[in-house]
Amino acid sequence: MKEFIHKKPYLIAGPCSAESENQLLTIAKAIEGTADVFRAGVWKPRTKPNSFEGIGKEALTWLKTVQQETGMKVCTEVATAKHVELCLESGVDMLWIGARTTVNPFYVQEIAEALKGVDIPVFVKNPIHPELGLWLGAFERLNKVGIKQLAAIHRGFYSYEKSVFRNDPKWELPIKLRKEIRGLPIICDPSHIAGKATLIEDIAQTAMDINLDGLMIETHNNPAVALSDAEQQVKPEKLKNIMQNLVLRDTKLRDEQFKEQLLDFRNQIDNFDTQIISLLNGRKQVVEKIADFKNENRLTIFQIERWFEILSTRKKNASLLGLDEQMVEELFALIHKYSILTQTNIMRK
Ligand code: PEP
Ligand code: MN
């Protein structure tokens, strides 16, 4: 891996789509000095046909104008070998692979091969659905053809559940990615996670709190009339405001006292976790006894009324303590699932 990001937080900003040369220049001039890299989509993957699918290669010349008039580096999304070829010809500085492309190993391979022998930074967005393997696979394919300047973009994951987010952040996935590929910079794209401009600041702060390396924020001079992703784009002034308000935490914890306090908290957490495991073991032993009992008395393992009773009493207790009821419900669903498994194993013996 070759490092190419030397600043934290590294900021990539610009419109979702390139719409006109004038639009690109207006935005680029307004965010020059705030953003490190200028982004604009030239080819847009849209869920439905007949939406605006990007200007296409003509917009590459506008990106060139941005490079020349501002000195900013420019980057855009590529989804095919042809896109790569046109970007390289036009001198685009960096490329990103979009979420709808990372899901498809054929496309990733095609892009990797088109980039063979080219020393250009490539960002890989997470696949639409939360499958770490596909994200890792894309990095392996690029690495194999010799691309060393790599970084990830975390843009959240499609979820069928209704949520405040357009794409569920699932913060555990970028954290797992960081463990799998040491030293890989990870940029958060709060715009595509949020889906609306008002949520961006909070998501960006969370990204900094978990020590991600940078941000990609969609920025438009007039979001209301943007041809794509109008609701989630911010104006350049707002972008500056978000960046100024970010609280950056010192992960090195130079202060010794601070380290000691942290160690103490971690010890307390370790103790609670040991107790939780020992309680789970105690519970399992009773579950085994109840399985024998049900077996002898020819009772079925699962009794729905009992499950409802467990759920409602546990949730009530949790809420009295101010615990998140949803969390407790999910936890007991898991405990109950394994309790049933333990019982069926015993009965089959
Ligand atoms: C984009 O960055 O405009 C884009 C299309 O992103 P994603 O691939 O994350 O949907
Ligand atoms: Mn977009």
Side-chain angles (χ1 to χ4, degrees):
M1 196 107 56
K2 199 161 110 195
E3 243 179 83
F4 69 99
I5 291 181
H6 303 285
K7 183 180 154 252
K8 199 166 173 176
Y10 189 73
L11 178 63
I12 304 169
C16 177
S17 301
E19 297 170 6
S20 71
E21 184 163 40
N22 190 34
Q23 171 232 19
L24 290 195
L25 271 177
T26 310
I27 302 169
K29 285 186 177 156
I31 64 176
E32 196 187 349
T34 304
D36 301 289
V37 179
F38 184 77
R39 67 149 278 159
V42 168
W43 299 279
K44 300 302 300 176
R46 305 307 298 276
T47 303
K48 297 215 171 127
N50 306 324
S51 327
F52 172 66
E53 291 186 319
I55 296 288
K57 71 178 181 193
E58 189 194 347
L60 292 174
T61 60
W62 307 341
L63 284 175
K64 209 170 205 155
T65 313
V66 169
Q67 282 171 325
Q68 287 159 355
E69 298 218 1
T70 67
M72 285 177 94
K73 290 200 184 308
V74 297
C75 95
T76 198
E77 172 173 348
V78 288
T80 64
K82 187 71 189 164
H83 294 163
V84 172
E85 189 190 309
L86 290 168
C87 285
L88 295 177
E89 263 172 36
S90 179
V92 172
D93 300 288
M94 302 176 177
L95 304 173
W96 84 78
I97 296 179
R100 290 163 192 78
T101 306
T102 312
V103 287
N104 189 329
F106 288 130
Y107 282 130
V108 176
Q109 190 59 33
E110 180 183 315
I111 292 168
E113 274 157 29
L115 282 166
K116 212 174 236 166
V118 181
D119 192 17
I120 186 176
V122 180
F123 297 86
V124 182
K125 289 201 173 197
N126 62 257
I128 297 264
H129 63 285
E131 187 179 353
L132 187 63
L134 277 172
W135 210 0
L136 289 170
F139 286 109
E140 272 176 44
R141 288 175 196 278
L142 292 164
N143 190 39
K144 257 193 169 160
V145 299
I147 298 159
K148 298 292 171 210
Q149 301 181 78
L150 289 167
I153 298 177
H154 163 237
R155 48 79 78 197
F157 301 87
Y158 174 79
S159 165
Y160 195 66
E161 309 285 315
K162 224 171 148 268
S163 146
V164 289
F165 301 113
R166 178 179 177 193
N167 289 293
D168 186 353
K170 292 197 177 302
W171 295 103
E172 65 279 14
L173 270 109
I175 292 172
K176 279 190 187 156
L177 179 70
R178 162 152 292 162
K179 287 188 186 137
E180 291 285 333
I181 312 180
R182 295 273 168 191
L184 177 76
I186 305 180
I187 308 294
C188 176
D189 171 350
S191 309
H192 287 89
I193 292 176
K196 45 182 132 3
T198 47
L199 286 179
I200 290 177
E201 190 158 353
D202 255 15
I203 300 168
Q205 184 59 56
T206 307
M208 294 301 100
D209 292 345
I210 65 160
N211 202 23
L212 296 193
D213 301 276
L215 298 164
M216 177 187 252
I217 300 182
E218 287 189 337
T219 311
H220 195 287
N221 51 327
N222 190 357
V225 298
L227 297 181
S228 58
D229 287 350
E231 283 176 24
Q232 72 192 31
Q233 302 203 59
V234 294
K235 289 190 172 174
E237 307 83 72
K238 177 69 185 166
L239 178 77
K240 287 180 198 163
N241 194 254
I242 292 173
M243 296 311 287
Q244 277 160 4
N245 290 342
L246 279 184
V247 179
L248 302 175
R249 303 183 207 279
D250 183 2
T251 52
K252 293 204 184 69
L253 299 181
R254 277 176 217 100
D255 179 343
E256 280 306 313
Q257 256 188 345
F258 211 84
K259 265 192 199 164
E260 262 176 46
Q261 180 65 68
L262 187 65
L263 212 63
D264 180 43
F265 286 139
R266 285 189 173 152
N267 273 334
Q268 292 185 42
I269 287 177
D270 288 350
N271 284 339
F272 278 116
D273 289 351
T274 310
Q275 286 181 53
I276 291 173
I277 289 174
S278 142
L279 287 171
L280 284 174
N281 184 43
R283 191 182 195 280
K284 181 171 171 255
Q285 284 168 14
V286 181
V287 165
E288 284 167 357
K289 283 188 199 147
I290 211 175
D292 285 335
F293 180 77
K294 283 183 187 166
N295 217 358
E296 280 157 21
N297 293 287
R298 299 186 156 272
L299 284 172
T300 57
I301 295 175
F302 183 63
Q303 273 119 20
I304 191 92
E305 314 75 46
R306 169 66 177 151
W307 166 237
F308 285 144
E309 182 212 326
I310 290 186
L311 205 57
S312 88
T313 52
R314 287 10 169 212
K315 277 167 74 177
K316 207 180 284 161
N317 288 345
S319 90
L320 285 175
L321 292 170
L323 277 173
D324 186 328
E325 279 188 42
Q326 178 69 23
M327 185 213 25
V328 170
E329 176 166 349
E330 284 175 28
L331 187 62
F332 274 91
L334 197 66
I335 291 176
H336 189 249
K337 175 179 139 184
Y338 281 93
S339 159
I340 300 273
L341 259 176
T342 305
Q343 295 182 55
T344 45
N345 284 341
I346 287 175
M347 288 207 173
R348 287 207 191 107
K349 264 188 201 155

